[in-house]
């Protein structure tokens, strides 16, 4: 369960988030839509405590993220998977090592268990034969899938995906959208996706919100958004 | 105000830099050191700088001997070439030269690596996986500097002396045994020590500057280039200026 209340953030006097409220129920997939530069990434970074809000609160499964000190945040983040817009795989590690890294850090698993888990997740994202490659040897779509596997491999119950389809062709975008939906439902994750790709957002999300000028202008299922008369929403969904 | 702003910015960034170094020390004091990573870095930094440091040392030892021969012959004291070469290298030149070359090679590499990781969100990603990036990425690099640089300096001193020997013996015709004996006799522990203490200071300075600049790089690949260049320039200035101050202090205590 993710609960956001009155979340505000400004940079140099420019208000990026303006008293945002929303909830995401456990096991639900929600898409945050909005054009480039509206603060979608900023919103996600607040959810995982990589940015501190000017005011407002973020509560994830009962943890007050915005109030935790850094060392507690490090612990808390182990329960959250985060897919970065630019994948952010370690480029000095192979794909397998990238996946094994969080598992090894969180401890409690034997080398053989880590190995089989890494295999399992690489197969899930259809990357089983690319495990020995370095991120620089992969295409953008493969990097995204590997990064998705890394975000989920620790079994986090919360998954945050920043622009999972940006920079991918329509087919890859569709594939990764269904992949996120499938994995997230299978593993029972509470998922937030940010994107400006409306079509793929509805492919995987149960519900969507549109972020505009720091506020959520509409929040609901696809039909509700499509039926909206708000000029910005209409134009954006076109 | 044209002068106040740069000063204020300078003080602010020095403050941030000090906090960063503080975090590093806290990590080390708490024993949160990943020795596996440290040794990986030792290997990487060592390999990066080794050849060029050896080349520079051999050449500077040789040049010292060439110039020394000319100078010493003026006073009819050719046999003192060995002392000139050994003392200059061990007391001053090897530590400073090696630190400069190391900044340009390993330091730049470190800043560029961390800078790339920063602009590609890899440092943030480290945090999202619940790992402290200072512990995982910075502490090993700075500790590796502390291990590699002293080793390089000792090697540089030996190779430099060898360079001087080649010229002294083969060009200035100082007898080989005599040259070696002179070198060994003239070098006291205090000569080695006064040069060597500086190295640890340089190592921290270089590791700190380069990892700090890299860690906080912004602005894409352009930013990586800019921050890396800045880091190396700061190391050069830092090494040269701090060397003057350190030398003054050291000579005050162990001067005679
Ligand atoms: N660390 C920061 N410092 C200053 N301003 C920032 C910072 N991060 C984001 N911003 C500003 O916040 C605004 C929103 O940025 P954000 O990256 O969240 O956009 P976005 O919706 O994710 O866009 P995109 O779809 O291109 O990823 C931008 O105007 C950006 O300039
Ligand atoms: Mg973004």
């Amino acid at each position: 369960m993710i609960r956001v209340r009155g979340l505000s953030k400004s940079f140099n006097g420019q208000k990026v988030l303006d008293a945002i409220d929303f909830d995401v129920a456990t096991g639900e997939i929600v898409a945050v839509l909005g054009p480039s530069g509206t603060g979608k990434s900023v919103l996600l970074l607040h959810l995982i405590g990589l940015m501190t809000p000017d005011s407002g609160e973020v509560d994830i499964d009962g943890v007050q993220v915005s109030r935790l000190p850094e060392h507690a945040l490090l612990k808390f983040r182990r329960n959250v998977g985060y897919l970065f817009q630019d994948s952010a795989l370690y480029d000095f590690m192979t794909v397998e090592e990238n996946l094994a890294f969080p598992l090894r850090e969180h401890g409690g698993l034997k080398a053989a268990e880590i190995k089989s888990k890494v295999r399992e997740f690489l197969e899930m994202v259809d990357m089983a034969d690319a495990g020995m490659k370095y991120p620089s040897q992969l295409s953008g779509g493969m990097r995204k899938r590997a990064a998705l596997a890394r975000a989920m491999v620790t079994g986090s119950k919360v998954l945050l995906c920043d622009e999972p389809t940006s920079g991918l062709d329509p087919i890859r975008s569709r594939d990764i959208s269904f992949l996120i939906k499938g994995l997230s439902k299978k593993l029972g994750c509470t998922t937030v996706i940010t994107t400006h790709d409306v079509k793929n957002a509805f492919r995987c999300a149960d519900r969507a919100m549109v972020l505009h000028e720091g506020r959520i202008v509409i929040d609901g299922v696809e039909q509700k958004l499509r039926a909206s008369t708000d000029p910005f929403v209409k134009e954006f969904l076109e | 105000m044209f002068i106040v702003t740069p000063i204020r910015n300078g003080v602010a960034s020095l403050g941030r830099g000090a906090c960063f170094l503080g975090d590093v020390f806290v990590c080390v004091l708490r024993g949160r050191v990943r020795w596996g990573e440290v040794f990986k870095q030792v290997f990487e930094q060592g390999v990066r700088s080794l050849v060029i440091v050896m080349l520079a040392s051999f050449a500077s030892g040789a040049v010292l001997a060439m110039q020394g021969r000319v100078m010493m012959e003026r006073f009819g004291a050719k046999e003192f070439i060995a002392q000139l070469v050994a003392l200059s290298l061990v007391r001053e030149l090897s530590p400073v030269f090696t630190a400069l070359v190391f900044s340009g090679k390993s330091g730049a590499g470190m800043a560029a690596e961390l800078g790339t990781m920063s602009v590609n969100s890899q440092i943030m990603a480290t945090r999202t996986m619940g790992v402290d990036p200072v512990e995982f990425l910075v502490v090993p690099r700075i500790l590796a500097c502390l291990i590699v640089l002293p080793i390089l300096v000792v090697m540089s001193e030996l190779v430099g002396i060898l360079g001087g020997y080649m010229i002294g013996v083969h060009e200035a015709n100082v007898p080989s045994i005599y040259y070696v004996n002179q070198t060994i006799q003239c070098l006291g522990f205090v000569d080695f020590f006064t040069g060597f203490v500086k190295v640890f200071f340089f190592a921290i300075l270089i590791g700190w500057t380069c990892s700090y600049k890299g860690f906080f790089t912004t602005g894409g690949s352009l930013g990586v280039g800019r921050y890396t260049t800045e880091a190396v320039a700061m190391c050069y200035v830092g090494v040269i200026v701090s060397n003057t101050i350190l030398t003054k202090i050291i000579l005050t205590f162990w001067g005679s």
Side-chain angles (χ1 to χ4, degrees), chain B residues 205-219:
Chain B
L205 183 75
I206 295 168
W208 173 36
T209 312
C210 292
S211 51
Y212 172 72
K213 279 280 171 190
F215 198 82
F216 291 104
T217 295
T218 52

Side-chain angles (χ1 to χ4, degrees), chain B residues 56-159:
Chain B
S57 311
F58 188 86
S60 39
V63 161
L64 262 179
M66 289 180 211
Q67 293 282 17
R69 176 192 178 194
V70 175
M71 289 190 276
M72 292 301 172
E73 271 178 351
R74 272 189 209 167
F75 309 116
K78 196 174 74 173
E79 355 19 292
F80 288 110
I81 296 179
Q83 280 92 327
L84 177 82
V85 170
L87 286 174
S88 321
L89 281 175
V90 171
R91 291 186 68 105
E92 195 61 51
L93 290 181
S94 271
V96 175
F97 254 41
T98 309
L100 291 177
V101 173
F102 184 79
S103 325
K105 224 17 190 129
S106 302
M110 198 169 20
E113 264 170 26
L114 287 174
T116 311
M117 296 185 70
S118 172
V119 301
N120 292 341
S121 324
Q122 289 171 45
I123 291 183
M124 262 211 237
T126 310
R127 287 214 175 89
T128 64
M129 290 184 278
V131 176
D132 177 6
V134 170
E135 178 192 326
F136 178 52
L137 300 169
V138 176
V139 170
R141 284 178 167 78
I142 294 184
L143 286 183
C145 285
L146 268 169
I147 297 173
V148 172
L149 193 57
I151 296 175
L152 284 177
V153 167
V154 171
M155 291 169 77
S156 150
E157 287 167 354
L158 295 174
V159 173

Side-chain angles (χ1 to χ4, degrees), chain B residues 39-60:
Chain B
F39 288 114
K40 246 188 248 167
Q41 288 299 322
V42 165
F43 182 73
E44 225 162 78
Q45 294 180 11
V47 166
R48 261 190 203 137
S49 291
L50 184 67
V51 173
I52 181 165
V53 164
M54 293 306 113
L55 209 65
S57 311
F58 188 86
S60 39

Side-chain angles (χ1 to χ4, degrees), chain A residues 74 77 86 90-91 105-106, chain B residues 34 121-122 126-127 129-130:
Chain A
L74 284 177
R77 290 192 190 114
D86 41 8
Y90 288 125
D91 43 25
E105 289 303 319
H106 300 188
Chain B
R34 294 163 181 247
S121 324
Q122 289 171 45
T126 310
R127 287 214 175 89
M129 290 184 278

